[in-house]
Amino acid sequence: MHSAPNFVIILVDDLGYGDLQRYHTPSIDYLFENGVEFTNFHSNSLCTPTRSSLLTGKYPQNFGSNFERALVYEFDAEIGLPLSSNTIFKALQNNGYATAIFGKWHLGWRDQFNPMRYGFDQWVGCKSGEIDYQSKVNGQGEYDWYLNNDIFEEEGYVTDLIAKHSVAFIASNPDRNFALYIPFTSPHTPFQGPNDPADRFIGGEDNIDWPKDGSADNKARAYQEMIERLDTAVGSIIQELQRQNIEDKTMIVFMSDNGAADYGFTSNGNFKGHKGALWEGGTHVKCAIQWKDGILPGKTHELTHVFDIPMTIGSIAKVDFESDGVDLSKLVMNKVPLKDRFIYQRRTYRNGNKQVSITGKKWKYVIDDLGNEFLFNLQKDIGEQNNLSNTHPDTLKSLSNKLMDWEKKF
């Protein structure tokens, strides 16, 4: 019987499935080597949907079509995660855990949607989807760095600051169970390495013509520096757990919120597509769970999803938590295989078009935003190159019916 561990969830932003092996990332590699690596793990295809599922264990469709895309201030300034939502951090907080979030929120701008209202004792970070790594200015030209409920003026590179506050929180809770959510902004745009200058400033004409992707002449160089600095940040968090002699009794989850965007220097490995799409390149992401007291290192090829994480944490912490996902604790602790399952996705665009998909262990059925149907045997064709919709009509019909039944729920 294991005592309930601490929990650290590290969520990185727009990291492609093929990115890690291209750069020097010894600290992130350490988590994969000493934990369970999920080779068939899926996020939702964008920032906001994944974050809503990671906290609530629910399909984003539960919160309306706005949560099937990334919230954008221009259109969504009044929208946020419903306050009635039960988050895993709220459940843990109610059971005596110290809780904190350091990093990117992206689940609502208004004060009523402040992270402190969703089960966190502390917060340092940004509300928006992306900020300048140096100046902390967001895409609306506003300074976007907060301490709990208030603007917080702080110098430094955002990745370093997120790590600094995470380390301080761990150091302040060596003898109390804690749950720490660390949603890094890296390596999301703008592409700025730690020594690149700020691109955005409060006031002035520069606010009109910012380069969205950053002003670095060599963005591939900046991207590499961002990932390697991210790895350094992850390393500092692991080192603090070791320094406090609590690494073994801490469950660390590492994952990306979606695949990489379509830049020439990013990589989603052998997968088709990119961030924002329901092809494997948009949703099939890196994930590992390390808990040295509770699980042995290894790999699992079971079909898993971001909304499984809260359910699993609740089970291990012995906290009641309802979820659309499944409990992975027996899988990671005792290698008990999962029952056959399907994962459903829907991505709605602002013009009303949508993509929908249903994914199982073998078959995946997709309707793209033009209404075209695709059927893939992922066991033979993980790159989604061979559309079998015409040659397997019975399978297509069966999956189509399941998908329609799921959509009727929302």
Side-chain angles (χ1 to χ4, degrees):
M1 182 68 69
H2 300 281
S3 59
N6 306 309
F7 299 99
V8 175
I9 300 178
I10 300 172
L11 181 68
V12 299
D13 202 341
D14 289 7
L15 182 75
Y17 193 88
D19 277 331
L20 290 179
Q21 58 262 41
R22 302 164 69 223
Y23 304 113
H24 184 62
T25 56
S27 298
I28 297 172
D29 294 346
Y30 173 88
L31 297 177
F32 282 82
E33 292 162 1
N34 290 277
V36 173
E37 177 178 355
F38 293 78
T39 65
N40 195 11
F41 186 88
H42 292 259
S43 69
N44 300 316
S45 66
L46 286 165
C47 304
T48 298
T50 288
R51 283 162 172 72
S52 67
S53 292
L54 180 58
L55 294 184
T56 68
K58 298 291 186 180
Y59 277 112
Q61 286 70 30
N62 286 279
F63 313 117
S65 62
N66 289 303
F67 281 78
E68 297 179 3
R69 51 185 172 252
L71 294 182
V72 177
Y73 186 87
E74 179 184 359
F75 304 102
D76 307 314
E78 305 300 324
I79 296 170
L81 186 68
L83 291 171
S84 59
S85 304
N86 187 30
T87 72
I88 187 59
F89 286 89
K90 193 180 294 184
L92 292 169
Q93 184 186 54
N94 290 338
N95 280 269
Y97 274 71
T99 60
I101 168 177
F102 301 116
K104 167 179 167 175
W105 180 233
H106 207 182
L107 288 172
W109 281 269
R110 298 305 185 210
D111 290 344
Q112 65 262 37
F113 303 123
N114 186 293
M116 304 287 285
R117 305 192 68 176
Y118 297 87
F120 297 102
D121 301 325
Q122 301 177 39
W123 175 46
V124 177
C126 59
K127 292 182 178 180
S128 61
E130 48 88 35
I131 63 172
D132 188 294
Y133 285 80
Q134 306 291 4
S135 69
K136 327 292 186 302
V137 175
N138 64 22
Q140 290 75 54
E142 301 167 338
Y143 187 81
D144 189 5
W145 196 247
Y146 288 80
L147 169 61
N148 297 336
N149 298 298
D150 302 308
I151 286 286
F152 180 37
E153 294 188 8
E154 186 175 32
E155 295 291 325
Y157 186 66
V158 164
T159 303
D160 297 346
L161 296 178
I162 292 171
K164 181 187 81 170
H165 292 293
S166 299
V167 166
F169 176 80
I170 293 167
S172 66
N173 290 282
D175 302 314
R176 179 184 176 187
N177 274 124
F178 63 80
L180 174 57
Y181 175 37
I182 314 174
F184 283 101
T185 60
S186 185
H188 194 293
T189 55
F191 297 122
Q192 291 175 320
N195 298 312
D196 288 327
D199 290 317
R200 304 174 185 172
F201 303 92
I202 301 294
E205 294 182 359
D206 289 341
N207 286 358
I208 301 172
D209 298 317
W210 294 318
K212 174 177 171 50
D213 301 332
S215 62
D217 290 338
N218 188 336
K219 292 180 176 56
R221 181 271 306 161
Y223 190 70
Q224 176 175 349
E225 290 180 0
M226 292 168 75
I227 290 177
E228 292 183 353
R229 192 63 159 241
L230 173 65
D231 186 77
T232 299
V234 171
S236 70
I237 293 161
I238 296 170
Q239 290 159 18
E240 186 60 31
L241 292 170
Q242 294 169 341
R243 194 159 30 243
Q244 299 295 336
N245 198 31
I246 55 175
E247 181 193 13
D248 288 1
K249 65 174 187 176
T250 300
M251 174 180 283
I252 306 172
V253 180
F254 177 93
M255 61 168 289
S256 180
D257 64 347
N258 45 252
D262 190 16
Y263 294 95
F265 47 83
T266 57
S267 174
N268 289 315
N270 295 321
F271 301 143
K272 174 182 178 179
H274 49 78
K275 170 185 177 177
L278 299 187
W279 311 117
E280 294 293 289
T283 68
H284 197 144
V285 297
K286 287 286 190 180
C287 178
I289 297 179
Q290 176 190 297
W291 176 24
K292 290 189 174 181
D293 270 359
I295 61 177
L296 294 174
K299 289 186 179 183
T300 177
H301 307 298
E302 294 282 354
L303 177 63
T304 47
H305 190 272
V306 58
F307 57 32
D308 299 333
I309 298 299
M311 184 78 164
T312 304
I313 289 174
S315 174
I316 290 172
K318 298 178 174 59
V319 170
D320 289 336
F321 193 79
E322 293 184 2
S323 170
D324 290 332
V326 300
D327 177 7
L328 304 178
S329 61
K330 292 181 180 179
L331 171 66
V332 297
M333 296 173 68
N334 305 113
K335 296 183 172 54
V336 177
L338 300 180
K339 295 179 180 178
D340 285 347
R341 67 187 302 201
F342 291 97
I343 290 172
Y344 302 86
Q345 300 256 24
R346 187 171 67 204
R347 196 281 205 223
T348 300
Y349 296 84
R350 294 191 185 277
N351 63 8
N353 290 350
K354 64 180 181 179
Q355 303 170 16
V356 289
S357 69
I358 175 173
T359 303
K361 285 185 176 181
K362 179 178 180 180
W363 295 103
K364 179 176 179 179
Y365 170 66
V366 181
I367 305 176
D368 71 8
D369 55 340
L370 299 177
N372 299 309
E373 292 182 297
F374 298 85
L375 179 68
F376 302 108
N377 181 340
L378 295 178
Q379 292 179 350
K380 297 180 178 180
D381 179 26
I382 194 63
E384 298 172 297
Q385 298 299 309
N386 188 15
N387 184 5
L388 303 176
S389 59
N390 291 327
T391 57
H392 291 72
D394 291 343
T395 300
L396 185 142
K397 183 63 175 177
S398 173
L399 295 179
S400 175
N401 288 338
K402 288 180 183 294
L403 187 56
M404 284 192 293
D405 289 343
W406 175 78
E407 287 200 274
K408 290 176 183 176
K409 296 178 181 179
F410 308 103

